[in-house]
Amino acid sequence: MGRLSTLFDPETVAVVGATDREGAVGRAILENLRDEFAGRVVPINPSRDEVLGLECYPDATSAPPLDLAVVVVPPEIVIESIRDLAEAGTENVVVITAGFSETGSEGAARERRLREIAAEHDLNVVGPNSLGIMSTPNGMNATFGPESALEGSISFMSQSGAFITAVLDWANDQGIGFRDVVSLGNKSVLDETDFIREWGDDPDTDVIIGYLEDIGDGQAFLEAAREVTTETPIVLVKSGRTDAGAQAASSHTGAIAGSERAYEAGLEQAGVIRARSVQELFDYARALSGLPEPESDGVAVVTNAGGPGVLTTDAVGDSRLAMASFTDETIDRLAEAMPDEANVYNPIDAIGDADVERFAEALEIALEDPNVGSAIVVAAPTAVLPYDDLAETVIDELEAHETPVVACLMGGERAREAEATLRESGVPNYFDPSRAVAGLDALARFRDVRRRTVAEPEAFDVDRERAREILARTKRRSDNRLGVESMDLLEAYGIPTPAGEIVDDPDRAREVAEGIDGDVVLKIVSPDISHKSDIGGVKVGVADEDVYDAYEDIVARARTYQPDATIVGVQVQELLDLESATETIVGVNRDPQFGPLLLFGLGGIFVEILEDTSVRVAPIGEDEAREMVDEIRAAPLLRGARGREPADVEGVVETIQRLSQLVTDFPAILELDVNPLVAGPDGVQAVDLRLTVDPDELDTEEP
Ligand code: ADP
Ligand code: MG
């Protein structure tokens, strides 16, 4: 695939299927291009000589060389048109035409053809089923939407075309500008990952924002976004957050939505800032597109209004930020400068009769305080406070101190002009104090994303060949499952398991038990029984002399409850001290979009009841594994709360990493549960294992 710059900055753009028929999409696009585009616009249509006053060509071959073609012909001839374009040397195509994978199997087949042609000719294809694209520097509006975007530094992609038209209408009203806008359509060739890469490299894009319903290749996106967010913030609204929403989304674009938890984890790991609404999306984007980075989380609030000042303070308390505590020097200076009735502690209340001068002084003093990383000017309109002058003051102070300042000049018409002045200097104005705080919060979040270092996954010394052989055992099984008979898989990856052995007669069971210190645990071993205790297949704390009877009893129960089950034998296992230890679970699930998803939580019976779990997309390194442990509500239990001896948290962290390596090495592992992983003061032990493997996938892996 070629670079995308000519997609957004073409010299010659064709509309294939251009027409002057009233109400036709082929006309709307041509009009949009003709009206504002700085380059040449070429209509293509075999049955016209001229369209809307522009010379029309019958096909791509006879047309002048094209940098970009916008295709609006009927679905049946889209493939043919694209082939012509490719053969004539066009590299960029936007397919507006609908009737592809969103419509059923015939459309899906057509979309496959489209993908094949694109691959064959190395084409950049946007769509199909796209509203089109825009790029403001050259005035290119290659969409059939009713409005063009204003110029700005936000690049915007959307999986819904309707969303773009609605947003642009609103953004134009708000004076919010864009650099590039892309309606992704069905994403058959170019997708969200291509665009974040492109905009990440674009010096004129300050913020990338998007509305997405799904992410096609989660792992590719994660990798790209991690790189991009070291420089450029990405803010996304991902719809389908609830199950009902996800269903609506998948029927909408024919995409299979990944589980919400995978998105949550994947986007967080990618450094993406997630917005829950369109309002948040732009509240964040406006702050991220023009302000410097806050050095610290301390916020100063300057206001002339008591109530809104308190509201702001509350909102700061709810965010990751904190109200800055001023130095004594700052307080002295403020006391000097402000009237006696003013509050010189944060929030600074310059009181109702504050004029611009007083605001300027208060803001200046606050921004000079070393504990202040950002500031909010909250104002209510008064007769002595011309908003326009206040806006100028805010801009001057921001420029003098290189500290982010956002405004909350409350009001409607009265604030309009001041808001425009602020906007031109990159200062967002928010009507509501909590939104102003959210804007600053996004700045601080992005600063943390930029500064974070994500540890590379560790490569432990493991026995990969042995693991492969164990996984290959599933080839002999129709249900593709493995259980405790395959605990050696964990050993191959260096995860500790208790002493034990699987035996198939009661005398041998007793011998093994005698070789193990203390009492033992007996467990039924049957590929057909995956929840052993449910059928009385686990006996905990059996003395050596009772092992023979316990063996017989377990097998008899299994035969009664599940007569058709194949019984391999009984596992005799060292009894672990659960008094001082905690049962945890480490599991893996495969998400259709993000791939292997690691899960950690309290184990045993608690996992389903408490739903106290953390997830990450594998592979992960040590930092992320430790985050997984610390994120669960029960983490203090492991860390040693209430006089409990702390568990070997480092052992848990290492086990999570080793499992991350195992599932990354073997995409054939579809699901895996170590439940419980017993975490005690002296170490961790995996006492139970269950997994599902796709044996065919095993053969496709290189050794
Ligand atoms: P299943 O999950 O199939 O019922 P497990 O092997 O997980 O079987 O055992 C069920 C429960 O028995 C565990 O959650 C744990 O509480 C207890 N248990 C199992 N093995 C041991 C052991 N070696 N030492 C102490 N307790 C054990
Ligand atoms: Mg279990």
Side-chain angles (χ1 to χ4, degrees):
M1 203 174 301
R3 288 258 310 120
L4 296 188
S5 54
T6 52
L7 176 73
F8 291 113
D9 194 15
E11 275 167 23
T12 308
V13 180
V15 178
V16 184
T19 174
D20 45 19
R21 190 162 47 80
E22 236 11 282
V25 170
R27 176 179 176 131
I29 295 174
L30 195 64
E31 278 178 339
N32 279 338
L33 281 168
R34 185 197 57 182
D35 292 349
E36 285 160 63
F37 180 46
R40 180 171 179 193
V41 184
V42 177
I44 293 183
N45 186 334
S47 52
R48 301 272 203 290
D49 294 329
E50 192 197 278
V51 184
L52 301 177
L54 297 166
E55 185 180 359
C56 185
Y57 296 83
D59 50 40
T61 324
S62 54
L66 305 168
D67 301 307
L68 167 65
V70 186
V71 175
V72 281
V73 298
E76 298 75 33
I77 56 168
V78 163
I79 302 296
E80 206 180 301
S81 304
I82 292 178
R83 189 180 297 114
D84 286 351
L85 286 162
E87 280 164 7
T90 308
E91 285 175 4
N92 302 294
V93 180
V94 176
V95 183
I96 306 291
T97 311
F100 288 79
S101 63
E102 80 281 7
T103 59
S105 61
E106 198 183 322
R110 195 174 288 135
E111 196 159 316
R112 272 196 301 279
R113 284 293 302 135
L114 174 60
R115 239 193 311 270
E116 280 161 20
I117 292 225
E120 202 178 309
H121 296 278
D122 207 15
L123 298 180
N124 294 317
V125 178
V126 177
N129 192 18
S130 162
L131 177 83
I133 66 172
M134 288 183 202
S135 190
T136 54
N138 57 9
M140 178 177 69
N141 178 354
T143 75
F144 61 94
E147 254 171 297
S148 296
L150 299 174
E151 206 166 332
S153 63
I154 300 173
S155 285
F156 171 33
M157 60 182 164
S158 170
Q159 210 167 333
S160 152
F163 191 83
I164 291 180
T165 57
V167 160
L168 287 185
D169 190 54
W170 169 84
N172 287 350
D173 200 44
Q174 301 284 310
I176 296 172
F178 297 85
R179 171 162 170 85
D180 298 331
V181 178
V182 174
S183 159
L184 295 166
N186 292 3
K187 309 192 288 190
S188 72
V189 178
L190 294 177
D191 65 11
E192 54 283 345
T193 302
D194 298 300
F195 289 106
I196 62 166
R197 278 202 189 283
E198 169 64 17
W199 290 329
D201 287 341
D202 172 23
D204 296 320
T205 293
D206 287 342
V207 190
I208 299 169
I209 65 170
Y211 165 80
L212 295 179
E213 289 167 356
D214 68 358
I215 288 174
D217 182 342
Q219 292 268 344
F221 181 85
L222 207 159
E223 194 186 318
R226 262 190 179 144
E227 278 170 36
V228 169
T229 54
T230 59
E231 292 281 340
T232 310
I234 303 177
V235 187
L236 294 180
V237 172
K238 155 78 179 68
S239 69
R241 300 181 73 237
T242 59
D243 285 349
Q247 261 160 26
S250 67
S251 45
H252 183 180
T253 53
I256 313 153
S259 75
E260 172 52 24
R261 290 211 75 187
Y263 279 110
E264 204 178 293
L267 293 179
E268 168 83 32
Q269 287 173 263
V272 168
I273 296 173
R274 217 166 151 184
R276 280 165 307 183
S277 65
V278 185
Q279 179 173 305
E280 269 189 7
L281 182 67
F282 282 94
D283 284 352
Y284 296 168
R286 285 193 292 150
L288 287 162
S289 63
L291 294 172
E293 194 169 89
E295 281 300 326
S296 71
D297 287 341
V299 182
V301 176
V302 183
T303 186
N304 66 346
V310 176
L311 270 183
T312 314
T313 306
D314 286 348
V316 169
D318 289 341
S319 74
R320 76 166 50 200
L321 306 169
M323 292 296 282
S325 60
F326 293 150
T327 62
D328 292 344
E329 193 198 332
T330 301
I331 290 165
D332 290 346
R333 289 179 65 195
L334 284 168
E336 181 94 356
M338 298 288 118
D340 289 348
E341 307 79 46
N343 179 30
V344 296
Y345 300 90
N346 204 7
I348 305 169
D349 186 353
I351 62 175
D353 66 350
D355 55 9
V356 171
E357 191 112 326
R358 203 185 291 162
F359 260 95
E361 248 173 322
L363 187 57
E364 162 105 24
I365 295 169
L367 290 177
E368 280 170 9
D369 189 299
N371 298 333
V372 171
S374 61
I376 308 178
V377 174
V378 182
T382 68
V384 293
L385 189 68
Y387 270 1
D388 298 350
D389 296 345
L390 182 58
E392 297 290 355
T393 296
V394 169
I395 293 164
D396 290 346
E397 291 301 329
L398 167 71
E399 282 167 1
H401 293 93
E402 279 291 303
T403 300
V405 183
V406 297
C408 183
L409 310 190
M410 299 166 83
E413 197 46 49
R414 188 176 292 272
R416 200 82 72 208
E417 216 180 295
E419 193 163 81
T421 308
L422 287 166
R423 191 190 311 122
E424 257 156 50
S425 297
V427 181
N429 184 52
Y430 301 93
F431 177 79
D432 192 295
S434 68
R435 291 171 60 189
V437 173
L440 287 182
D441 194 57
L443 272 186
R445 259 152 78 185
F446 180 58
R447 174 205 61 211
D448 292 347
V449 164
R450 267 174 52 111
R451 292 186 185 174
R452 74 183 176 167
T453 47
V454 182
E456 284 291 312
E458 202 152 328
F460 294 98
D461 187 16
V462 297
D463 192 344
R464 191 164 168 172
E465 223 11 75
R466 182 158 156 237
R468 172 186 307 282
E469 284 160 20
I470 297 164
L471 293 171
R473 288 175 195 162
T474 44
K475 289 185 182 167
R476 300 194 297 269
R477 296 198 43 82
S478 59
D479 63 358
N480 298 337
R481 286 167 171 281
L482 297 176
V484 284
E485 76 290 347
S486 300
M487 295 281 271
D488 43 350
L489 177 68
L490 299 177
E491 284 158 23
Y493 267 66
I495 296 166
T497 55
E501 207 176 309
I502 294 170
V503 298
D504 59 4
D505 82 273
D507 285 317
R508 179 74 194 124
R510 166 131 196 194
E511 266 172 55
V512 173
E514 281 168 349
I516 294 173
D517 262 359
D519 291 353
V520 294
V521 180
L522 298 189
K523 299 180 194 181
I524 194 75
V525 181
S526 160
D528 305 308
I529 301 172
S530 59
H531 294 277
K532 301 176 287 296
S533 5
D534 288 358
I535 60 135
V538 177
K539 281 185 187 281
V540 178
V542 184
D544 292 354
E545 58 273 24
D546 301 328
V547 165
Y548 191 103
D549 291 344
Y551 180 104
E552 301 265 84
D553 186 39
I554 278 189
V555 171
R557 277 173 202 251
R559 291 237 157 83
T560 316
Y561 285 102
Q562 226 164 296
D564 53 347
T566 311
I567 292 168
V568 176
V570 168
Q571 182 182 42
V572 183
Q573 198 175 56
E574 171 191 354
L575 174 71
L576 302 179
D577 170 21
L578 292 187
E579 287 277 292
S580 62
T582 307
E583 292 191 50
T584 65
I585 177 172
V586 188
V588 181
N589 232 312
R590 219 159 264 278
D591 178 79
Q593 270 74 38
F594 282 92
L597 202 63
L598 295 163
L599 173 141
F600 174 75
L602 277 200
I605 54 166
F606 296 120
V607 62
E608 273 144 53
I609 298 171
L610 300 179
E611 289 183 358
D612 183 17
T613 56
S614 55
V615 298
R616 288 291 183 285
V617 175
I620 59 170
E622 190 181 330
D623 301 338
E624 287 174 285
R626 188 167 295 110
E627 275 170 29
M628 286 184 79
V629 176
D630 287 330
E631 229 167 67
I632 66 166
R633 288 193 302 277
L637 208 64
L638 290 166
R639 294 272 180 201
R642 309 229 157 202
R644 270 176 77 91
E645 226 184 312
D648 174 20
V649 171
E650 290 315 302
V652 177
V653 170
E654 187 175 320
T655 303
I656 296 173
Q657 291 176 81
R658 286 178 180 273
L659 278 177
S660 164
Q661 186 174 349
L662 174 66
V663 297
T664 308
D665 286 349
F666 295 101
I669 299 175
L670 302 178
E671 297 175 291
L672 182 150
D673 266 359
V674 173
N675 184 22
L677 174 78
V678 174
D682 305 320
V684 297
Q685 304 260 28
V687 307
D688 188 21
L689 173 69
R690 217 182 334 267
L691 68 155
T692 313
V693 178
D694 176 357
D696 298 332
E697 181 81 25
L698 216 46
D699 294 330
T700 63
E701 282 159 21
E702 83 268 28

